[in-house]
């Protein structure tokens, strides 16, 4: 029995390390501002704001696991939000709006994937180009003005993305559901296995009959659709769409994935880590402000958390291999 | 395989090579670096299509457009590559079942079953019984011989009629080479066929039936073991390659 516990601890040292960091930071917040962090209100706020970044980070986890990178997701988010907004404004249908958003994300992912696999561009360049192009595209399409969606709040399906389920905000319910689902896909599905092998060694994957191009395109499509969904949820929250949507999420999404324990090198990714880190990163700013520190501290502490946690991950990974 | 040609841009790797492997026959493919051995093997195992030429499997002509690694496996051809084709960061069980896990209807992997089978393969085919030998071990923690064992165990498990081995004895210790040779013998004894590529004729001479020599993309010689001792084979090979140079 003791051996089993040890084996479990060894295999999941990355996740356990992250949990320890998260709990330490949490205790620190409770000590510095007990009034805020011992009342349920702040947690309800986190649960309705964290999932936007969380969904982006879930997609990025797959992209990094396959050994690529995507810089275009903040713009894809705006594409998704715009597709939803325009469709909803025209049809007053939430279902059609969501389908339009997902279709937008799918097309963006498809283009990214084709640029990387068929054209052969490095993903950092292809998605950088797409990031600018899509931002310009949504701004031009809407003449740079916001889409106001007041009617959204009265729709019967509005609570699907904005209500609560057993007092838990729906955003977190969706984030949890998609994390569990995508976790099973990555670790327990043939597709996830292919993703890990393509990221680990694409030559091996090719020799063993795995289609490297198809797997990569599918991963970019997953990223695009998650970004579009995140954009749609963001529109639900504020009942408006604006052309710069998503721009604030770029760095926090990357920070989340790295702090979660997914490496840049491919062949490995942790959905659980991403889920926990989304809440850790998402609560930092509130915690810092509640502690009475000036806003200037935020970036410093962000940086500290990233460097410290990724150092620990790197160290643990090296121990695991040698 | 008939009149196989392969060009990579302006480089011609194969200039029309015929290769035949009979039932229950072990064929050694010999030749220097750059002779085209690995390219020929990759065409046979479905990794790349030939530029020209025809492939027949059990007498049936193969449509090169529909031929792929997965198709080759379906037809009973398994390949053990020189580079082992393993994912270093992945555990052994994922490596053995890469691309063809035991899954349910929705493609979800039956992990318990896969790990059990992996354990069996490790014990029975690879002869790994040590305490550290768990299907959960990552490939990066294994020795060269153990890695070769996984690549071979994988080919064995899926019950191929033709096993292709690319430089199976390279960079292995003497004991491990012995294991590989025993494995080739096992293929022969079970009525299956094998093609292997090797630099080291001395090692593989005893387990082979026939040898084919390639040089600069062409077949330069074919020898039956029964008609040719090891020394004669060595001499013939040197002659065959020299004649072309001269």
């Amino acid at each position: 029995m003791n051996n089993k516990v040890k084996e479990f601890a060894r295999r999941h040292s990355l996740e356990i390390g992250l949990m320890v960091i998260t709990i330490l930071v949490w205790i620190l917040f409770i000590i510095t501002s007990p009034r805020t962090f011992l009342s349920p209100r702040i947690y309800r706020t986190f649960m309705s704001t964290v999932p936007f970044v969380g969904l982006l980070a879930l997609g990025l986890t797959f992209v990094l696991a396959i050994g690529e990178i995507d810089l275009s997701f903040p713009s894809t988010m705006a594409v998704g939000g715009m597709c939803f907004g325009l469709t909803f404004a025209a049809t007053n249908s939430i279902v059609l709006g969501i389908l339009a958003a997902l279709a937008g994300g799918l097309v963006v992912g498809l283009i990214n994937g084709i640029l990387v696999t068929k054209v052969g561009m490095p993903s950092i360049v292809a998605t950088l180009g797409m990031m600018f192009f899509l931002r310009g595209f949504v701004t031009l399409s809407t003449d740079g003005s916001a889409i106001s969606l007041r009617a959204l709040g009265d729709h019967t399906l509005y609570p699907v993305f904005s209500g609560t389920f057993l007092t838990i905000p729906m955003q977190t319910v969706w984030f949890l559901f998609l994390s569990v689902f995508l976790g099973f896909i990555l670790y327990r599905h043939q597709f996830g296995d292919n993703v890990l092998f393509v990221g680990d060694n694409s030559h091996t994957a090719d020799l063993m009959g795995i289609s490297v191009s198809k797997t990569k395109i599918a991963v970019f499509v997953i990223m695009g659709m998650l970004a579009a969904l995140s954009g749609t949820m963001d529109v639900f929250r504020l009942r408006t769409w604006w052309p710069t949507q998503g721009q604030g999420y770029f760095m926090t999404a990357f920070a989340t994935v790295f702090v979660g324990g997914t490496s840049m090198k491919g062949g490995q990714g942790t959905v659980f880590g991403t889920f926990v880190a989304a809440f850790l990163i998402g609560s930092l700013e509130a915690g810092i402000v509640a502690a009475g520190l000036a806003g200037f501290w935020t970036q410093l502490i962000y940086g500290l958390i990233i460097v410290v946690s990724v150092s620990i991950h790197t160290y643990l990974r090296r121990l695991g291999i040698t | 395989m008939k009149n196989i040609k392969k060009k990579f841009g302006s480089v011609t790797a194969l200039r029309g090579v015929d290769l035949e492997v009979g039932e229950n026959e072990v064929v050694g493919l010999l030749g220097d670096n750059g002779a085209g051995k690995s390219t020929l093997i990759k065409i046979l195992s479905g990794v790349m299509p030939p530029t020209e030429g025809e492939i027949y499997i059990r007498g049936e002509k193969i449509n090169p457009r529909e031929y792929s690694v997965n198709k080759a496996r379906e037809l009973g051809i398994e390949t053990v590559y020189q580079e082992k084709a393993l994912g270093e960061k992945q555990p052994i069980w994922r490596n053995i079942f890469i691309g063809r896990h035991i899954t349910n209807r929705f493609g979800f992997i039956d992990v318990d079953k896969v790990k059990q089978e992996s354990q069996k393969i490790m014990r029975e085919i690879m002869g790994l019984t040590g305490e550290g030998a768990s299907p959960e071990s990552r490939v990066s923690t294994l020795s060269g011989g153990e890695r070769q064992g996984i690549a071979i165990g994988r080919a064995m498990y899926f019950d191929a009629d033709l096993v292709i081995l690319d430089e199976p004895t390279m960079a292995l210790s003497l004991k491990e080479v012995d294991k590989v040779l025993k494995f080739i013998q096992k293929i022969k004894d079970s009525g299956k066929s094998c093609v292997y590529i090797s630099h080291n004729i001395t090692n593989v001479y005893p387990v082979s039936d026939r040898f084919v020599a390639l040089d600069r993309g062409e077949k330069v010689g074919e020898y039956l073991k029964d008609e040719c001792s090891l020394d004669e084979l060595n001499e013939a090979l040197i002659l065959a390659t020299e004649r072309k140079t001269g």
Side-chain angles (χ1 to χ4, degrees):
Chain A
M1 194 59 215
N2 201 7
N3 260 344
K4 267 195 178 159
V5 173
K6 261 191 208 158
E7 171 70 16
F8 182 85
R10 199 183 55 77
R11 262 171 50 198
H12 298 280
S13 52
L14 213 85
E15 283 85 357
I16 294 168
L18 176 68
M19 288 298 284
V20 171
I21 296 172
T22 309
I23 291 168
L24 283 180
V25 170
W26 187 34
I27 292 173
L28 203 69
F29 284 162
I30 292 178
I31 294 171
T32 51
S33 35
R35 267 240 305 263
T36 314
F37 279 90
L38 286 177
S39 86
R41 231 185 61 207
I42 186 101
Y43 298 105
R44 224 170 279 144
T45 309
F46 287 152
M47 282 195 274
S48 61
T49 55
V50 165
F52 305 116
V53 176
L55 290 182
L56 300 171
L58 270 183
L60 266 185
T61 306
F62 273 75
V63 174
L64 292 177
I66 207 165
E68 299 290 349
I69 201 159
D70 187 349
L71 306 180
S72 68
F73 63 85
S75 303
T76 313
M77 218 179 145
V79 170
M82 182 187 78
C83 289
F84 174 83
L86 292 177
T87 311
F88 180 78
T91 63
N92 204 34
S93 161
I94 282 186
V95 175
L96 283 180
I98 291 172
L99 288 178
L102 290 177
L106 185 141
V107 171
V108 171
L110 215 55
I111 296 173
N112 278 336
I114 288 169
L115 287 176
V116 171
T117 58
K118 304 291 179 195
V119 182
M121 285 169 88
S123 53
I124 192 165
V125 183
T127 57
L128 181 76
M130 285 297 281
M131 175 183 86
F132 284 115
F133 176 82
L134 294 172
R135 184 65 66 191
F137 173 73
V138 297
T139 315
L140 277 173
S141 310
T142 56
D143 257 342
S145 53
I147 308 171
S148 174
L149 298 161
R150 291 241 179 76
L152 189 56
D154 305 325
H155 199 282
T156 41
L157 285 177
Y158 179 67
V160 170
F161 277 152
S162 238
T164 56
F165 176 76
L166 304 173
T167 76
I168 298 169
M170 279 312 284
Q171 288 95 340
T172 286
V173 173
W174 279 103
F175 180 34
L176 182 67
F177 167 73
L178 285 169
S179 297
V180 171
F181 177 68
L182 289 172
F184 269 104
I185 293 287
L186 186 59
Y187 304 125
R188 288 291 176 266
H189 197 275
Q190 180 69 62
F191 174 75
D193 198 74
N194 294 354
V195 170
L196 292 173
F197 272 99
V198 171
D200 196 331
N201 187 337
S202 60
H203 182 58
T204 289
D206 191 38
L207 288 180
M208 299 314 288
I210 295 172
S211 170
V212 174
S213 306
K214 274 188 205 155
T215 314
K216 279 190 180 171
I217 292 174
V219 163
F220 278 107
V221 166
I222 291 174
M223 171 83 247
M225 289 174 78
L226 282 171
L229 190 67
S230 170
T232 306
M233 271 167 58
D234 209 14
V235 168
F236 266 73
R237 188 174 56 131
L238 299 167
R239 277 171 256 175
T240 178
W241 176 87
W242 62 106
T244 57
Q245 188 194 27
Q247 274 180 348
Y249 293 132
F250 185 75
M251 285 304 169
T252 36
F254 270 107
T256 297
V257 186
F258 291 140
V259 168
T262 297
S263 116
M264 277 267 329
K265 291 177 186 157
Q268 176 268 344
T270 158
V271 171
F272 176 80
T274 298
F275 186 84
V276 174
F279 283 96
L280 171 61
I281 295 285
S283 63
L284 281 184
E285 192 160 8
I288 292 161
V289 173
L293 292 171
F296 304 133
W297 281 84
T298 322
Q299 296 218 351
L300 184 131
I301 292 176
Y302 263 92
L304 205 66
I305 294 271
I306 294 174
V307 172
V308 169
S309 56
V310 177
S311 300
I312 295 174
H313 295 329
T314 312
Y315 177 70
L316 286 175
R317 210 171 285 134
R318 223 166 40 202
L319 275 190
I321 283 171
T322 48
Chain B
M1 296 172 95
K2 256 193 192 162
N3 192 27
I4 297 291
K5 292 182 184 165
K6 179 73 185 175
K7 288 182 184 168
F8 296 103
S10 59
V11 181
T12 307
L14 294 172
R15 299 165 199 275
V17 174
D18 299 340
L19 176 70
E20 197 185 322
V21 185
E23 216 172 290
N24 196 17
E25 187 183 34
V26 178
V27 176
L29 199 52
L30 310 172
D32 277 335
N33 281 332
K37 297 166 299 184
S38 290
T39 308
L40 190 65
I41 285 315
K42 279 181 178 152
I43 291 169
L44 180 57
S45 57
V47 176
M48 50 173 79
T51 314
E52 256 178 65
E54 292 161 358
I55 304 172
Y56 296 85
I57 296 174
R58 292 188 203 91
E60 267 184 56
K61 194 173 168 183
I62 300 294
N63 179 352
R65 268 199 220 122
E66 285 169 11
Y67 199 52
S68 66
V69 174
N70 292 322
K71 187 83 192 164
R73 286 166 165 177
E74 254 173 59
L75 294 170
I77 300 177
E78 287 282 337
T79 311
V80 177
Y81 295 97
Q82 185 179 351
E83 53 270 61
K84 313 289 185 286
L86 300 173
E88 296 257 322
K89 292 174 205 161
Q90 314 305 327
I92 292 176
W93 64 269
R94 281 193 192 273
N95 271 289
I96 289 179
F97 285 88
I98 173 175
R100 45 183 160 172
H101 282 280
I102 304 167
T103 59
N104 67 12
R105 253 185 318 150
F106 305 105
F108 285 99
I109 301 168
D110 185 344
V111 176
D112 289 335
K113 187 91 199 286
V114 167
K115 281 185 191 165
Q116 260 174 34
E117 291 295 304
S118 302
Q119 187 90 55
K120 219 169 85 188
I121 294 167
M122 289 165 69
R123 212 176 39 236
E124 289 169 13
I125 303 176
M126 296 159 60
L128 280 182
T129 44
E131 223 177 73
S134 141
E136 282 291 348
S137 307
R138 294 190 190 279
V139 168
S140 54
T141 64
L142 303 178
S143 74
E146 287 167 330
R147 288 176 197 210
Q148 183 66 278
I150 295 179
I152 289 178
R154 182 164 65 188
M156 276 290 265
Y157 175 76
F158 289 98
D159 215 22
D161 294 326
L162 171 63
V163 179
I164 304 169
L165 299 158
D166 192 352
E167 295 286 4
T169 56
M170 205 157 78
L172 292 187
S173 70
L174 284 174
K175 215 174 112 194
E176 287 164 347
V177 167
D178 200 48
K179 253 191 198 167
V180 171
L181 296 184
K182 277 202 183 115
F183 167 69
I184 297 179
Q185 192 60 50
K186 225 165 155 184
I187 297 175
K188 169 89 181 161
D189 293 346
S190 58
K192 295 167 182 172
S193 314
C194 175
V195 176
Y196 68 83
I197 292 180
S198 186
H199 276 93
N200 193 332
I201 314 164
T202 322
N203 270 344
V204 289
Y205 181 81
V207 294
S208 317
D209 297 317
R210 189 157 55 91
F211 304 92
V212 172
L214 287 187
D215 191 47
R216 270 157 280 185
E218 279 177 79
K219 187 154 95 178
V220 291
E222 195 163 354
Y223 318 92
L224 286 170
K225 186 172 84 169
D226 295 340
E227 297 169 0
C228 168
S229 74
L230 179 56
D231 289 340
E232 284 164 0
L233 177 62
N234 254 323
E235 247 166 66
L237 281 175
I238 293 167
L239 269 176
T241 45
E242 263 178 2
R243 199 167 44 214
K244 275 216 61 203
T245 325

